């Protein structure tokens, strides 16, 4: 134990008093740092596909489904990745189809043009900030609930919903078996 008044003398010696005497980093313990020790990921290692979002660490699952809502293509990406970038990664793998139903996140002129080159009609509602809204088939768009139901079923499995197995390597292993 310190003798009475010793701490006060140390604070006076710094020229500051009370709470101002603390250092800029006033945590109790030094930061433990990342588990990888600040080193980049090993070459050949499978990325976890977890990124920062407003809600914290998260990942995003992009899906291409058939007419019955069964997944044909799944792409796991970081949570902050936009839907446009996910579409860019999946566009070459799209199966032949008459129409593609997508949410507002996929509303981009280049994506619509790429679908048109493939002979696929885009049924995507326009974003709110589009100056001239592009009309879409609302009756056809109602069928998108099948895709939302597929995501609901995936989330019913607790390990996927709570991200226990949402890392890319474990999701792909469980999908193969």
């Amino acid at each position: 134990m310190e003798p009475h008044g010793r701490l006060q003398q140390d604070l006076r010696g710094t020229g500051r008093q009370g709470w101002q005497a603390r250092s800029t980093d006033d945590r109790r313990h030094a930061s433990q740092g990342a588990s990888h020790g600040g080193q980049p990921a090993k070459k050949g290692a499978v990325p976890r596909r977890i990124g920062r979002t407003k809600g914290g660490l998260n990942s995003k699952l992009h899906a291409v489904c058939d007419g019955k809502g069964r997944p044909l293509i799944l792409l796991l990406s970081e949570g902050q990745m936009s839907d446009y970038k996910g579409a860019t990664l999946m566009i070459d793998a799209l199966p032949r189809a008459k129409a593609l139903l997508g949410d507002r996140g996929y509303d981009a002129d280049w994506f619509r043009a790429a679908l048109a080159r493939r002979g696929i009609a885009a049924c995507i509602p326009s974003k709110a900030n589009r100056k001239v809204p592009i009309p879409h088939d609302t009756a056809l768009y109602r069928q998108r609930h099948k895709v939302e139901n597929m995501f609901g079923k995936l989330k019913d499995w607790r390990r996927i919903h709570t991200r226990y197995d949402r890392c890319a390597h474990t999701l792909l292993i469980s999908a193969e078996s």
Side-chain angles (χ1 to χ4, degrees):
M1 280 190 45
E2 296 287 331
H4 180 69
R6 172 83 188 259
L7 182 63
Q8 188 65 28
Q9 289 174 349
D10 289 342
L11 289 177
R12 277 191 231 127
T14 63
R16 300 181 337 184
Q17 291 184 358
W19 62 271
Q20 296 173 344
R22 290 188 297 208
S23 66
T24 56
D25 184 14
D26 61 351
R27 290 177 280 182
R28 288 185 184 260
H29 305 290
S31 174
Q32 302 244 340
S35 59
H36 54 74
Q39 300 296 320
K42 293 179 184 175
K43 191 171 186 176
V46 178
R48 294 186 59 204
R49 303 280 188 237
I50 295 177
R52 292 224 173 261
T53 61
K54 288 193 282 186
L57 295 175
N58 206 349
S59 52
K60 185 183 287 189
L61 187 62
H62 305 266
V64 175
C65 298
D66 64 3
K68 296 181 180 179
R70 297 176 297 198
L72 299 174
I73 302 169
L74 293 174
L75 172 70
L76 189 69
S77 68
E78 294 85 5
Q80 75 270 17
M81 179 186 275
S82 70
D83 291 341
Y84 300 142
K85 291 180 183 176
T88 303
L89 295 172
M90 293 191 309
I91 197 152
D92 292 330
L94 287 178
R96 292 172 43 163
K98 294 179 185 176
L100 182 130
L101 310 178
D103 64 3
R104 294 178 195 275
Y106 294 97
D107 177 31
D109 292 332
W110 67 266
F111 187 57
R112 291 175 185 270
L115 291 175
R117 282 192 299 272
R118 296 176 181 273
I120 301 173
C123 184
I124 303 170
S126 297
K127 285 188 170 183
N129 62 355
R130 218 180 234 285
K131 292 182 181 177
V132 180
I134 299 173
H136 68 282
D137 186 355
T138 55
L140 180 61
Y141 188 72
R142 286 190 194 112
Q143 296 300 311
R144 204 172 140 270
H145 80 277
K146 294 175 183 175
V147 178
E148 295 299 329
N149 291 346
M150 182 268 308
F151 280 114
K153 288 176 186 174
L154 281 177
K155 289 180 179 182
D156 281 345
W157 297 349
R158 185 170 183 259
R159 63 186 183 163
I160 292 175
H161 175 67
T162 55
R163 267 195 1 206
Y164 294 136
D165 286 344
R166 251 180 113 174
C167 298
H169 64 281
T170 54
L171 184 70
L172 294 176
I173 290 170
S174 63
E176 291 173 357
S177 52

